[in-house]
Amino acid sequence: MKYISTRGKAPELEFDDVMLAGLARDGGLYISKSWPRISGEEMRSWRGMPYWELATRVMLPFMGGRIDEADFADIVKDTYSGFDHAAVTPLIQLDEKLFVMELFHGPTLAFKDVAMQLLGRLYDYVLKKRGQRVTIVGATSGDTGSAALEAFKNRECVDIVILHPKGRTSEVQRRQMTTIKADNVHNIALEGTFDDCQDMVKAMFADTNFRDSINLSAVNSINWARIMAQVVYYFHAGLALGAPDRPLNFAVPTGNFGNIYAGYVARRMGVPIEKLVCGSNSNDILHRFFSTGAMDVETVVPTLSPSMDIQISSNHERLLFSLLERDGEKLTDAMTRFRSTGHMEVPAGALDRAQAIFASHRSDDAATLATMREVYRRSGWLIDPHTAVGVAAARAVTLDPSTVTVAFGCAHPAKFPDAVEKATGVRPGLPPRLADLYEREEVYTTLPNNLAVVQEFIRSSVVAPGAAA
Ligand SMILES: *Cc1c(COP(=O)(O)O)cnc(C)c1O
């Protein structure tokens, strides 16, 4: 299995190189050259497997022989044994036709752990084999930072530096990052906004000397290995509900389009998915795209589901690549136009192909609260605002009435206690693993919004590449 860039001008790479590279050198995103196809017979033989074993089967074709099979199975088993629920991603039934798959039983209580926990282990495995070290640098407005820190803390071959905007994350989110104690973990509270943090990270990557001196790497949501790990739970839900013999739909609250794109991959691999329903909050550029075929950037508005407060969804480029029949030049044209004018549209044929698979719906904050309230009233279940956007979408769009739908539970309700309390009157408590979060000691360094100062701090904090771990 080889990987190609959506922009068509970067070298083909193997799995391990794609994982460490993140973004392709031509600015594109890596994507597998073909889709592994799982036959109905093989899929049936996977029914009832424990999560880790199913995950190994689903992901193995993407390794292209670059990671030893037995080692990979061990890594995957170790990854998911650290989750709080024995089923890893359990299904809850909300009504006759609607299920929620809870993806938040990992260490930071959001679905990003499912992929990130695997990534941390795979990075260490590959780097150890190569005798290399990297420094991961990232900016976060909330969830991604803690998922990355939890996944990479105490890894032998990695230092990790996460910048958050000082005073601008929720207290739960900040504490989930700053109370992690490990020699290779470095939290920076930047005196600035989230955009300042992101610009700072971009500037560090653009500084070739700095980048090479500490082997900079990124694990943001465009990393192929994260998408791959998210494909697994589409199989897990499908098999539990009768796949390959019964079709199903998925409803996915969407921000950067990584989670729902994994559903597109699962469908190409043979999971009988009728519709992928894209749930948007008031930042509804994707809903408008699936309705009209045009993308127009607007300013980001803050909502109750902050992990989806995004206008430019980076992984959407991977879908566009397929909709444009894998034509790297056409895609480059479209993306260049989009970046410079904030507008882009696809030809009618491409919109038809998209609408055959995707449906979409937008929920503003009032609709999100109403959904949380209604779910609580009818089933006694508390859901977080992101999950509610998905549930609302599942209920709003027209789907075949004989087909079941799985909405993704993307975060634990206790991560967003204010919104949950506002909707239901019930304040959710933190689960046992985080019960003492407010008592733990915080460690972070406050730095000014100044590139040279931040670079000097990082250089003096990390172990130099090549040095013994
Ligand atoms: C990241 C995140 C999302 C958005 O997922 P994408 O893969 O970026 O579309 C939705 N909900 C929660 C809770 C998240 O952390």
Side-chain angles (χ1 to χ4, degrees):
M1 178 67 75
K2 299 258 196 202
Y3 291 84
I4 54 172
S5 164
T6 50
R7 308 273 173 108
K9 295 223 156 51
E12 283 184 14
L13 294 182
E14 303 279 358
F15 172 77
D16 46 332
D17 293 315
V18 165
M19 178 179 76
L20 295 177
L23 200 68
R25 252 190 272 164
D26 58 1
L29 277 63
Y30 275 109
I31 201 164
S32 61
K33 218 169 163 177
S34 61
W35 303 117
R37 189 79 194 169
I38 310 301
S39 71
E41 196 183 346
E42 189 172 13
M43 216 183 294
R44 272 179 218 106
S45 77
W46 292 355
R47 278 188 186 145
M49 276 183 183
Y51 190 91
W52 71 267
E53 198 176 346
L54 174 66
T56 307
R57 305 279 175 120
V58 171
M59 293 189 280
L60 212 48
F62 290 109
M63 302 287 122
R66 300 286 289 189
I67 302 208
D68 176 78
E69 273 191 47
D71 288 351
F72 184 61
D74 286 346
I75 290 170
V76 174
K77 191 171 186 182
D78 182 57
T79 299
Y80 296 112
S81 66
F83 278 58
D84 277 341
H85 197 295
V88 183
T89 58
L91 273 174
I92 307 297
Q93 189 160 7
L94 283 192
D95 63 31
E96 291 78 8
K97 293 287 171 200
L98 184 60
F99 294 77
V100 168
M101 183 168 247
E102 294 183 344
L103 305 178
F104 52 72
H105 293 282
T108 72
L109 313 183
F111 82 86
K112 295 196 172 64
D113 290 327
V114 178
M116 207 68 98
Q117 285 288 316
L118 178 69
L119 209 62
R121 288 163 173 83
L122 278 178
Y123 255 68
D124 234 20
Y125 176 86
V126 168
L127 290 169
K128 218 177 283 179
K129 287 240 145 139
R130 296 179 175 202
Q132 293 174 352
R133 266 195 88 80
V134 299
T135 304
I136 290 170
V137 175
T140 190
S141 59
D143 284 346
T144 315
S146 57
L149 290 168
E150 278 290 346
F152 285 90
K153 70 178 183 193
N154 297 320
R155 301 278 162 224
E156 278 179 50
C157 304
V158 178
D159 273 287
I160 179 160
V161 183
I162 296 291
L163 288 78
H164 70 264
K166 187 174 170 72
R168 291 172 196 254
T169 60
S170 77
E171 181 167 14
V172 178
Q173 286 175 327
R174 187 192 72 238
R175 285 184 165 272
Q176 280 192 301
M177 296 190 278
T178 57
T179 59
I180 296 174
K181 290 234 175 57
D183 289 342
N184 71 331
V185 160
H186 316 281
N187 272 295
I188 297 177
L190 194 78
E191 289 170 333
T193 63
F194 172 57
D195 287 337
D196 294 330
C197 294
Q198 270 196 314
D199 290 345
M200 181 72 70
V201 171
K202 272 191 208 141
M204 286 191 262
F205 274 90
D207 179 344
T208 321
N209 274 339
F210 180 74
R211 192 177 67 199
D212 294 344
S213 73
I214 57 165
N215 267 349
L216 271 193
S217 181
V219 291
N220 47 20
S221 87
I222 52 101
N223 195 302
W224 168 259
R226 284 181 60 183
I227 305 282
M228 174 191 76
Q230 292 171 350
V231 173
V232 175
Y233 41 72
Y234 286 89
F235 276 87
H236 197 217
L239 285 165
L241 295 170
D245 304 302
R246 285 173 66 203
L248 73 169
N249 307 300
F250 287 91
V252 189
T254 297
N256 248 327
F257 208 74
N259 214 9
I260 195 167
Y261 181 72
Y264 177 79
V265 176
R267 192 175 184 275
R268 299 299 299 248
M269 291 176 74
V271 179
I273 299 173
E274 259 174 24
K275 276 272 153 63
L276 289 164
V277 183
C278 172
S280 294
N281 63 21
S282 295
N283 299 289
D284 64 348
I285 185 167
L286 291 169
H287 171 54
R288 287 181 277 123
F289 173 77
F290 286 120
S291 309
T292 66
M295 297 243 279
D296 287 284
V297 178
E298 290 175 0
T299 45
V300 177
V301 296
T303 71
L304 293 173
S305 43
S307 299
M308 296 157 59
D309 291 346
I310 288 170
Q311 284 286 333
I312 298 182
S313 303
S314 36
N315 281 295
H316 188 255
E317 176 167 340
R318 288 190 158 107
L319 176 67
L320 273 183
F321 185 58
S322 292
L323 294 178
L324 298 176
E325 297 167 302
R326 295 200 160 212
D327 184 330
E329 249 168 68
K330 266 195 203 147
L331 182 98
T332 308
D333 278 354
M335 291 311 293
T336 312
R337 218 173 320 128
F338 184 51
R339 289 286 168 168
S340 60
T341 65
H343 171 83
M344 173 193 63
E345 52 195 69
V346 296
L351 178 61
D352 290 344
R353 283 192 285 282
Q355 288 177 339
I357 306 171
F358 291 88
S360 65
H361 178 72
R362 166 192 198 270
S363 292
D364 61 17
D365 279 353
T368 303
L369 289 168
T371 303
M372 293 161 77
R373 190 175 307 123
E374 186 258 2
V375 165
Y376 181 63
R377 193 172 50 78
R378 290 184 51 190
S379 68
W381 221 253
L382 296 176
I383 59 173
D384 99 287
H386 302 79
T387 305
V389 169
V391 168
R395 293 204 164 133
V397 306
T398 309
L399 298 165
D400 181 336
S402 63
T403 305
V404 296
T405 299
V406 175
F408 283 152
C410 285
H412 193 289
K415 280 201 103 159
F416 302 93
D418 297 338
V420 173
E421 186 172 14
K422 187 168 176 192
T424 65
V426 179
R427 192 163 183 90
L430 286 167
R433 76 154 86 215
L434 287 175
D436 65 342
L437 187 67
Y438 288 91
E439 278 95 66
R440 293 182 200 164
E441 189 200 343
E442 294 188 77
V443 181
Y444 60 89
T445 307
T446 300
L447 293 177
N449 185 13
N450 177 311
L451 180 63
V453 174
V454 174
Q455 284 179 327
E456 185 43 41
F457 170 81
I458 294 176
R459 237 191 236 110
S460 65
S461 305
V462 306
V463 179

